[in-house]
Amino acid sequence: MKHTAARTRRAVLRATTHSHTGPDTASRGPGRSRRAAHAWARANGAVVRLTTRVQEGLEEAARRPDRGDISTTTVIIWVAAVTGAVLIAGTIAVVIAKYNGQLNGL
């Protein structure tokens, strides 16, 4: 059976609700306000989403080991190209700034 986010949420909700309390106090422990309970519920939802996403990524990686990830060589080439472009643009800016007064008379 496929693992889905909704299925995970249902499992977490079943584990956090208590049958002996009403619907307003199901997610609140003793001494917790509604605001604190809401914050815990949001945090719990975020953890469930993150966990689900990580599990889906691991399943995808196991199913397709070569997913077309960028190789280290490609990253090095791109970094070198961007660095070279920045150095060339910087050199042009320095030369224009240095000779700006002499270029005005042309």
Side-chain angles (χ1 to χ4, degrees):
M1 181 184 297
K2 186 172 181 182
H3 183 77
T4 63
R7 191 165 161 228
T8 303
R9 258 185 253 115
R10 282 194 303 270
V12 170
L13 289 175
R14 263 186 263 130
T16 58
T17 57
H18 304 287
S19 60
H20 63 277
T21 58
D24 288 344
T25 59
S27 62
R28 294 188 304 173
R32 286 198 186 149
S33 66
R34 285 185 193 269
R35 182 176 291 163
H38 183 68
W40 277 106
R42 288 183 63 194
N44 190 21
V47 168
V48 168
R49 284 189 302 272
L50 180 65
T51 305
T52 303
R53 178 68 181 113
V54 169
Q55 286 176 347
E56 289 172 357
L58 291 174
E59 289 172 4
E60 177 73 15
R63 191 171 65 241
R64 294 189 316 152
D66 183 20
R67 298 174 296 158
D69 291 337
I70 297 175
S71 67
T72 306
T73 307
T74 306
V75 172
I76 292 170
I77 291 170
W78 274 102
V79 168
V82 170
T83 303
V86 168
L87 286 174
I88 291 170
T91 303
I92 291 171
V94 167
V95 169
I96 289 175
K98 182 176 181 181
Y99 295 107
N100 197 21
Q102 297 174 2
L103 293 174
N104 283 338
L106 294 178

